[in-house]
Amino acid sequence: MNAKTILVVEDEASIAEVVSLYLKRAGYQVQLAPDGKQAMSILERQMPDFVILDLMLPEVDGLSLTRWLRDRSNVPIIMLTARREEIDRIAGLEMGADDYVVKPFSPQELVSRVRAVMRRLGREQPEAESDRSLKFEGLTIDARSRVVVANDSPVELTAKEFDMLYLLAAHPKQVFTREQLLERIWGGAQYIDPGTVTVHVRRLREKIEADPSHPARLLTVWGVGYKFEP
Ligand code: CA
């Protein structure tokens, strides 16, 4: 297996250095960029497997860089933020960062988060499975185009709704707890309210069920979680 490459965008040399050291020890290849502009020129040449970026950067700040990056790629992003940057952090997540780590952090903690995000994305889109279309009576889920057709009409799903439906439908009759769904779809991120799962299930039912109040596909297993009925 080839070592994954991680681009670390951080203007504080001491932090960049220690992060780089820990990532290398964990078996990753590391590229460093001290500001947003240099990060962009690296990213334009070759997309790494993962990006860790500081929010407060010279030249091009972390938020703009996240937005720029998301226009081009689904590469996983972890933001490094200071406590006072909470507003920016939320903006960053909305812009598509996958997770954040608040400074000061332990480098080991950062490595664990990187692994967790990689694992989550790897599980969500394994090579063989990502091409797999799931077909049921009155419901087709195409993983490649991320198009869902329910009762002969195409349905628009958000990214998370699609991921959740795909996960459940790829494992028919298997019960997933809310915690498992949070972990698999949101990476178990602590800022996510467990009620989010309930909300997503409800929206999915409204979109794919013939009668959302009497679901035939996405079933609640009381006291446990949810399962997909094929
Ligand atoms: Ca900084």
Side-chain angles (χ1 to χ4, degrees), residues 10-12 54 56-57 103:
E10 168 63 85
D11 56 315
E12 284 165 77
D54 186 25
M56 299 292 277
L57 288 168
K103 289 177 176 180

Side-chain angles (χ1 to χ4, degrees), residues 13-174:
S14 57
I15 296 181
E17 204 172 298
V18 72
V19 164
S20 161
L21 181 72
Y22 272 77
L23 289 172
K24 281 178 185 165
R25 265 194 216 153
Y28 298 111
Q29 279 181 11
V30 181
Q31 291 177 304
L32 295 175
D35 64 56
K37 234 180 200 162
Q38 292 192 41
M40 282 175 172
S41 79
I42 291 175
L43 291 163
E44 269 174 343
R45 273 202 308 275
Q46 172 128 49
M47 198 52 71
D49 297 299
F50 206 101
V51 176
I52 295 171
L53 61 88
D54 186 25
L55 264 185
M56 299 292 277
L57 288 168
E59 303 290 342
V60 179
D61 68 87
L63 278 186
S64 311
L65 186 58
T66 303
R67 192 186 300 123
W68 181 89
L69 200 45
R70 271 295 166 262
D71 283 344
R72 284 161 181 76
S73 166
N74 286 322
V75 65
I77 303 172
I78 287 185
M79 298 183 299
L80 306 178
T81 78
R83 245 169 235 296
R84 62 179 184 280
E85 295 164 2
E86 195 184 348
I87 301 282
D88 288 346
R89 190 151 74 222
I90 292 164
L93 290 171
E94 282 175 351
M95 247 162 244
D98 295 274
D99 203 355
Y100 66 85
V101 173
V102 178
K103 289 177 176 180
F105 56 87
S106 94
Q108 197 50 55
E109 161 76 5
L110 177 61
V111 171
S112 311
R113 297 288 196 95
V114 169
R115 283 211 179 104
V117 171
M118 291 248 196
R119 214 168 37 234
R120 163 161 57 107
L121 296 179
R123 261 203 316 228
E124 262 178 17
Q125 305 164 322
E127 280 308 317
E129 252 190 35
S130 63
D131 283 352
R132 207 154 60 105
S133 265
L134 304 175
K135 286 199 177 73
F136 309 93
E137 207 192 314
L139 181 69
T140 306
I141 307 166
D142 188 286
R144 205 180 295 185
S145 62
R146 293 174 79 86
V147 166
V148 172
V149 177
N151 305 312
D152 297 326
S153 329
V155 187
E156 268 196 40
L157 299 183
T158 65
K160 297 293 186 204
E161 286 167 0
F162 183 92
D163 291 344
M164 183 182 285
L165 177 61
Y166 192 86
L167 175 65
L168 289 166
H171 303 89
K173 290 186 185 285
Q174 184 181 329

